[in-house]
PDB file of all heavy atoms in Angstrom:
ATOM      1  N   ILE A 346      -1.395 -14.445  14.634  1.00 95.00           N
ATOM      2  CA  ILE A 346      -0.753 -14.563  15.948  1.00 95.00           C
ATOM      3  C   ILE A 346      -1.772 -14.149  17.011  1.00 95.00           C
ATOM      4  O   ILE A 346      -2.381 -13.076  16.914  1.00 95.00           O
ATOM      5  CB  ILE A 346       0.507 -13.668  16.023  1.00 95.00           C
ATOM      6  CG1 ILE A 346       1.517 -14.094  14.945  1.00 95.00           C
ATOM      7  CG2 ILE A 346       1.133 -13.710  17.406  1.00 95.00           C
ATOM      8  CD1 ILE A 346       2.685 -13.158  14.780  1.00 95.00           C
ATOM      9  N   GLU A 371     -11.773  -8.751  13.734  1.00 97.00           N
ATOM     10  CA  GLU A 371     -11.863 -10.201  13.906  1.00 97.00           C
ATOM     11  C   GLU A 371     -13.183 -10.762  13.370  1.00 97.00           C
ATOM     12  O   GLU A 371     -13.261 -11.916  12.964  1.00 97.00           O
ATOM     13  CB  GLU A 371     -11.725 -10.561  15.392  1.00 97.00           C
ATOM     14  CG  GLU A 371     -10.322 -10.310  15.936  1.00 97.00           C
ATOM     15  CD  GLU A 371     -10.190 -10.594  17.417  1.00 97.00           C
ATOM     16  OE1 GLU A 371     -11.201 -10.503  18.143  1.00 97.00           O
ATOM     17  OE2 GLU A 371      -9.059 -10.900  17.856  1.00 97.00           O
ATOM     18  N   PHE A 462      -0.430  -4.896  13.344  1.00 97.00           N
ATOM     19  CA  PHE A 462      -1.377  -5.785  14.011  1.00 97.00           C
ATOM     20  C   PHE A 462      -2.306  -6.439  12.992  1.00 97.00           C
ATOM     21  O   PHE A 462      -2.562  -7.645  13.043  1.00 97.00           O
ATOM     22  CB  PHE A 462      -2.201  -5.006  15.041  1.00 97.00           C
ATOM     23  CG  PHE A 462      -3.334  -5.805  15.633  1.00 97.00           C
ATOM     24  CD1 PHE A 462      -3.085  -6.756  16.613  1.00 97.00           C
ATOM     25  CD2 PHE A 462      -4.634  -5.622  15.188  1.00 97.00           C
ATOM     26  CE1 PHE A 462      -4.124  -7.520  17.137  1.00 97.00           C
ATOM     27  CE2 PHE A 462      -5.683  -6.372  15.707  1.00 97.00           C
ATOM     28  CZ  PHE A 462      -5.422  -7.324  16.686  1.00 97.00           C
ATOM     29  N   TYR A 464      -1.802  -7.071   9.872  1.00 98.00           N
ATOM     30  CA  TYR A 464      -1.067  -8.037   9.052  1.00 98.00           C
ATOM     31  C   TYR A 464      -0.780  -9.325   9.819  1.00 98.00           C
ATOM     32  O   TYR A 464      -0.887 -10.422   9.269  1.00 98.00           O
ATOM     33  CB  TYR A 464       0.245  -7.389   8.583  1.00 98.00           C
ATOM     34  CG  TYR A 464       1.102  -8.266   7.689  1.00 98.00           C
ATOM     35  CD1 TYR A 464       0.680  -8.606   6.404  1.00 98.00           C
ATOM     36  CD2 TYR A 464       2.345  -8.729   8.117  1.00 98.00           C
ATOM     37  CE1 TYR A 464       1.472  -9.393   5.577  1.00 98.00           C
ATOM     38  CE2 TYR A 464       3.139  -9.515   7.298  1.00 98.00           C
ATOM     39  CZ  TYR A 464       2.699  -9.853   6.028  1.00 98.00           C
ATOM     40  OH  TYR A 464       3.472 -10.636   5.210  1.00 98.00           O
ATOM     41  N   LEU A 465      -0.430  -9.199  11.097  1.00 97.00           N
ATOM     42  CA  LEU A 465       0.007 -10.370  11.872  1.00 97.00           C
ATOM     43  C   LEU A 465      -1.139 -11.092  12.578  1.00 97.00           C
ATOM     44  O   LEU A 465      -0.990 -12.253  12.971  1.00 97.00           O
ATOM     45  CB  LEU A 465       1.070  -9.952  12.898  1.00 97.00           C
ATOM     46  CG  LEU A 465       2.392  -9.448  12.310  1.00 97.00           C
ATOM     47  CD1 LEU A 465       3.318  -8.948  13.404  1.00 97.00           C
ATOM     48  CD2 LEU A 465       3.077 -10.542  11.490  1.00 97.00           C
ATOM     49  N   HIS A 466      -2.278 -10.419  12.767  1.00 97.00           N
ATOM     50  CA  HIS A 466      -3.380 -11.047  13.512  1.00 97.00           C
ATOM     51  C   HIS A 466      -4.546 -11.451  12.605  1.00 97.00           C
ATOM     52  O   HIS A 466      -5.337 -12.318  12.974  1.00 97.00           O
ATOM     53  CB  HIS A 466      -3.884 -10.081  14.595  1.00 97.00           C
ATOM     54  CG  HIS A 466      -4.945 -10.662  15.484  1.00 97.00           C
ATOM     55  ND1 HIS A 466      -4.696 -11.716  16.348  1.00 97.00           N
ATOM     56  CD2 HIS A 466      -6.262 -10.351  15.637  1.00 97.00           C
ATOM     57  CE1 HIS A 466      -5.819 -12.020  17.001  1.00 97.00           C
ATOM     58  NE2 HIS A 466      -6.778 -11.218  16.577  1.00 97.00           N
ATOM     59  N   THR A 467      -4.674 -10.805  11.446  1.00 97.00           N
ATOM     60  CA  THR A 467      -5.789 -11.106  10.534  1.00 97.00           C
ATOM     61  C   THR A 467      -5.235 -11.317   9.123  1.00 97.00           C
ATOM     62  O   THR A 467      -4.035 -11.270   8.902  1.00 97.00           O
ATOM     63  CB  THR A 467      -6.808  -9.948  10.504  1.00 97.00           C
ATOM     64  OG1 THR A 467      -6.257  -8.840   9.769  1.00 97.00           O
ATOM     65  CG2 THR A 467      -7.172  -9.476  11.914  1.00 97.00           C
TER      66      THR A 467
END
Side-chain angles (χ1 to χ4, degrees):
I346 300 171
E371 291 177 334
F462 172 77
Y464 181 68
L465 295 175
H466 184 66
T467 73

